[in-house]
Amino acid sequence: GRKMSLGLRTVELSEALDVDAADEVAAELAEDPRVLSASPNLRVFPADVGGPTSETDPDDPYFDGDDMWSLNGTYGIDGPTAWETTTGSSDVVVAVLDTGILSHEDLAGSSQVPGFDMIADVFTANDGTGRDTNPTDAGDWVTAQEEANDPEFCQESDSSWHGTHVTGTINAASGNNIGVASIAPGVKTQAVRVLGKCGGYSSDIIDGIVWASGGAADVAPENETPADVINMSLGGFGDCSVELQDAIDT
């Protein structure tokens, strides 16, 4: 396989396995005294995002209505009250481990710091390359044929543009009469692309966490603007692996 951060390596098998069979192989590997731990390279996916009702504060078109219930209303975070104290500091960097980012008029370039495309698998990346310094979202649409080839993980769909949605939730320009308001428009965000076609792999998530937080990761150039906060609006099936927990702990 390939070298990862934290001294880890991926192991490529001669044939595709389902999760149960991969668990069995990992358990066999872990019994070897030369192996500290082994876990399947699981697939993860963007989390579904719901769609405050308020008549106050920002003039962003989508703020008044049901689209931004999470910032206000019965089940929201009461954003307008929080904004009286702070709208976020530009000294704070929030890394968004997701599908990447698109250029958008509500996401000013000055609110972003350089990110990274951590997707190693070219099919998943959907941009013709593996890992590189360009975290632009190339789209994660799935065709009917791609679903037929891998029905367990791939469902025919249009692109989600999930990373741009999540980034906008965090620091879209607010009070500019454009699009949405955000939780903390004053912070910086950093796009770390780990999700693409048919989801993403936990090995990329692990390396993404380590790189985003400023850890030593031979898999990418040094992160000169390491994150204070890491946002992962994603999920999959099964328990958190030892290796993923190690990355979180670092």
Side-chain angles (χ1 to χ4, degrees):
R2 68 177 183 279
K3 187 177 182 180
M4 293 174 57
S5 56
L6 305 180
L8 301 171
R9 278 191 174 276
T10 60
V11 175
E12 294 184 6
L13 306 178
S14 58
E15 60 185 52
L17 302 177
D18 61 27
V19 174
D20 290 339
D23 277 328
E24 292 177 3
V25 171
E28 290 177 11
L29 284 171
E31 290 178 357
D32 189 314
R34 298 168 297 176
V35 177
L36 182 63
S37 67
S39 301
N41 190 11
L42 297 177
R43 206 91 65 99
V44 296
F45 305 91
D48 290 334
V49 181
T53 300
S54 172
E55 301 297 330
T56 64
D57 291 329
D59 59 4
D60 305 272
Y62 288 108
F63 188 75
D64 293 335
D66 296 331
D67 293 300
M68 304 200 70
W69 59 268
S70 57
L71 285 182
N72 211 347
T74 303
Y75 302 108
I77 64 171
D78 193 10
T81 298
W83 297 327
E84 292 176 3
T85 301
T86 181
T87 56
S89 168
S90 60
D91 293 332
V92 174
V93 174
V94 181
V96 184
L97 273 62
D98 213 289
T99 65
I101 194 169
L102 294 174
S103 176
H104 192 283
E105 59 184 348
D106 223 7
L107 295 172
S110 60
S111 68
Q112 317 293 318
V113 298
F116 196 79
D117 182 355
M118 196 61 76
I119 301 177
D121 179 67
V122 175
F123 170 79
T124 303
N126 198 33
D127 59 1
T129 66
R131 291 176 170 176
D132 55 49
T133 57
N134 182 5
T136 298
D137 191 338
D140 56 0
W141 77 88
V142 175
T143 66
Q145 183 58 55
E146 288 165 342
E147 178 178 1
N149 292 340
D150 190 0
E152 182 177 7
F153 293 112
C154 300
Q155 273 88 47
E156 183 179 3
S157 65
D158 295 330
S159 291
S160 66
W161 312 122
H162 191 264
T164 302
H165 177 119
V166 172
T167 302
T169 301
I170 295 169
N171 78 331
S174 300
N176 63 347
N177 201 27
I178 295 174
V180 300
S182 64
I183 294 171
V187 305
K188 307 282 190 181
T189 50
Q190 179 175 65
V192 182
R193 190 165 181 248
V194 296
L195 301 175
K197 269 184 178 285
C198 307
Y201 288 97
S202 54
S203 54
D204 293 337
I205 303 290
I206 290 168
D207 286 340
I209 291 171
V210 174
W211 182 84
S213 59
D218 295 334
V219 299
E222 181 183 358
N223 183 358
E224 297 182 357
T225 51
D228 305 283
V229 179
I230 293 178
N231 183 94
M232 296 193 297
S233 181
L234 51 83
F237 302 95
D239 295 332
C240 183
S241 69
V242 171
E243 297 80 14
L244 181 56
Q245 189 61 57
D246 285 345
I248 293 170
D249 292 345
T250 63

